[in-house]
Structures are given as C-alpha cells and as structure tokens.
Amino acid sequence: MKKSILLVSSIVVLTSASASEKRLVECRLVTPKTTECKPYPSKFMFTEKLTYDGSSDKLIISKTLPAGPKPKLIKVIKVEDMIENHLEVLGSVRFSGSQPSPLRKSAAEIRLEKAEKEQEMAEARLQIKKELAALKRERERLKLLLKQQEVAKLHADKIKETEAEKKKIAEEKKKAEKYAGYSVQSGDSLILIARRFKMSTKDVLAANSALTRKSTLKIGQKITIPLSQKKLDAILKKRKDQQLKEAKRGMFTKSLEKKYRQLKKKRRKGITLNEYDTKLFRALKSKHKLRVQATAYTSHGAQTDSTPFLAAWNNRIRPGMKIIAVSRDLITKYGLGNGKKVRIQGLPGYYTVRDKMNKRYTKRIDIYMGLNRRKALRWGRKRTVIYW
C-alpha cells in the first residue's frame, strides 16, 4: 500500500513540475548551451497506470497513450494580394478617343493579303496537278510492265505444257509399243482383268496412269495391259476355247450363263456375232436349264416303300448309281422322263432320271445316295440348277 501511495504522489509532482516548466527541453535533446533540462521524457507525462513487479522494485508501464497530431499552419492570403499577383488591370478604352484599333486593317491591306493567298493557292494547285500527272505516268508504266510480265509467264507456261504433252505422248507411244491393248467387256473389273492375265492390280494401274482403284470401267473402253500383244491374244484365245469346251460338255458356270445372256441380247438388237461368239451361242442354246429344289434320299424302308431297290417304270437301282427322282411336272412340262440324262450344278458327271416323286411336289428333284444316310443328311435341301 505504501508503494502505491508514493507512486501517485510522484506522478502529481511530475505533472505539476512539467506544467510550470514548459520551456525546459528533455535531457535526451540537451545541447552544449543548455543549462537545465527535463529529467523525464514527455511520454511519461501521459502514463495512465504504473505498477511494480512483485519480486523486485522494477517499474512496469502497462499502457501509454500516443501524442496527438501536430496542427497544420494555414496561411491567409488577401484578395487584394491575389489580384495584384495574378491579374493585370488595363485602362478603359471606351472614352480613349478616335485612335485606330490595332486589330482593324485597311481595305488595301485586306486586298493585298487576299491576292497573296490566291496566288499561293494557284501555285499549290499547279504543283498538285504536276504530281498527279507524274503519278499517272508512273501507273501506266507499271501497268505495261505487269502486262509484259504476265504475257511472258503465259508464254513460258504454254511452252511447259507443250513439252509435258509431248513427253506424255512419247511415254504413251512407248507403252503402246511395249504393252498390249485390251477392250473392256461386260462384267469386267480391274481385279478380274488382273486375275485373267495373272498379274496384280498395281501392275494394271501402273500401265494406265488415268485409272485409279475407284475408277469405273465402261464397256468398250481401251486399256493397256503390261504384256505383249501376242501373249495377250494367246491368253484370250485359250480362254475362249476353254469356254467353248465347257459349253459343249454341258458345264454351265456363272460366267457362261452371263455370256449367254449377253449374246442373246446382241442377237435381239440385230448385232452380228463373230465366229467364236456364234459357236458359243449355239452350244449354249442347245442346252436347257432350270432352277429346282434338290433333296437326297436312300434305299431305306422309311424313305421309300417295301421295295427300296425298285423305282418307277420298274427300274432296278443299286447303291453307287447316279440317278435322280423328279417331280411329275418336270416330266409333263419339260420332258424329263425315264432315261433322261441331266447335269446338276455343283456335282460332277451326269445323272439319269430313273424315278418320280409324289404328286404334291413341283419343280423338285431327289438325288439318290445309295445306303449312305449321313451323306444324304449332309446334302439336306438346296436350291440348284439342272441342265439337260
């Protein structure tokens, strides 16, 4: 309690002393001429609360208040001073007499200035006309030069084109001398032509620069084949001979059927056929064909009757024989009676008609498989073509 009382009294003394001695400076700002100073800094004058540590007599400042801002000095300027410094007052010209105004010019001066301006404008126009004429001449010169360059370029391009055409014609002549010509027929394609002459499609395209893989061939179109003409003619002749032999033997393939339709169409239009086409047409015309449904049967009781080896017309049959049974309509309409020989598409050799089927079947044949039930089941039921 004593320490706190002394603290309060000391604070009172300091504040009273500082109030009476305002002219004294702080001791930290002492100069050689100073004889007396304040022992305490000014910030201690605003201390709110002072306490002492319990273990020692050390003074602890818990909070201090900052000093207020310094006032700014405002300088007051009078209106008279501002007028004298910034404005210039001239005398009144209303009652100054009849002296001429420095801003007004005489009529002669105005005319002279106008004439000078017109002369300057005329000179400027003349100069502009001269510059425009020079630009026009330069433009015409550039146009003529550009035209000459374009003509020279066109002439050079034409020379290049003629040289390229000559080179292309020469290459085509060389190819024509080296390669053989082939006329595209109906049903031909690049792949079929390449297979026919035993080569790849790339070889055919290399010999024909105008063709690509997506090109469509027209009937009668001439293309070059990388073979000699003699070899090409020999291959075509061999193929024709083979087709003629197949037609005479009764071997009807899809290509022969298509060829027969083409020849038939030509004859209807009145187009004369060559010797080979005439022979082929006659060989194909002498044959009949019919699309039927073909099944298979064997000599078992479940598939025939009590006499499995006895067929219609009292024909005796045995396993291994190439015979067929036909429906009744084939006998009456197409003449496929007893003993008629036919060829079946997809099967080798000739088959003889020795049996007939039930009345409920039409356009149907039954192929005899002997006692091989498995073979008959494998055959099943198919759509095929018969020739006779």
Side-chain angles (χ1 to χ4, degrees), residues 6 12-13 34-35 37 42 52 56 67 73 93 132-133 141 144 151 180 211 217 236 241 279 284 299 304 356:
L6 289 171
V12 173
V13 171
T34 306
T35 57
C37 66
S42 60
Y52 284 91
S56 64
L73 297 176
V93 296
L132 288 173
R141 189 182 67 81
L144 183 62
V151 171
L211 294 179
L217 300 177
L236 291 177
D241 294 341
K279 289 180 180 178
L284 293 172
S299 294
T304 57
K356 51 187 174 182

Side-chain angles (χ1 to χ4, degrees), residues 182-188 219-220 240 243 257-278 280-281:
Y182 174 75
S183 181
V184 177
Q185 300 176 4
S186 178
D188 279 345
I219 297 172
K240 288 179 180 180
Q243 284 182 344
E257 290 177 15
K258 189 182 288 186
K259 186 70 175 176
Y260 177 68
R261 286 196 297 270
Q262 293 169 3
L263 295 175
K264 196 173 181 181
K265 191 182 289 185
K266 283 183 179 181
R267 284 177 66 87
R268 283 178 183 175
K269 290 181 179 180
I271 301 171
T272 56
L273 305 178
N274 56 30
E275 185 180 354
Y276 162 74
D277 289 339
T278 305
L280 184 61
F281 182 75

Side-chain angles (χ1 to χ4, degrees), residues 371-382:
L371 296 174
N372 196 341
R373 187 178 293 173
R374 184 176 293 178
K375 187 178 179 181
L377 290 172
R378 275 203 308 269
W379 175 266
R381 182 180 295 177
K382 296 180 182 179

Side-chain angles (χ1 to χ4, degrees), residues 126-141:
L126 184 62
Q127 184 66 23
I128 290 168
K129 284 182 181 179
K130 288 180 180 179
E131 290 177 358
L132 288 173
L135 288 171
K136 191 175 181 180
R137 288 194 298 272
E138 183 67 18
R139 185 180 177 183
E140 290 177 355
R141 189 182 67 81

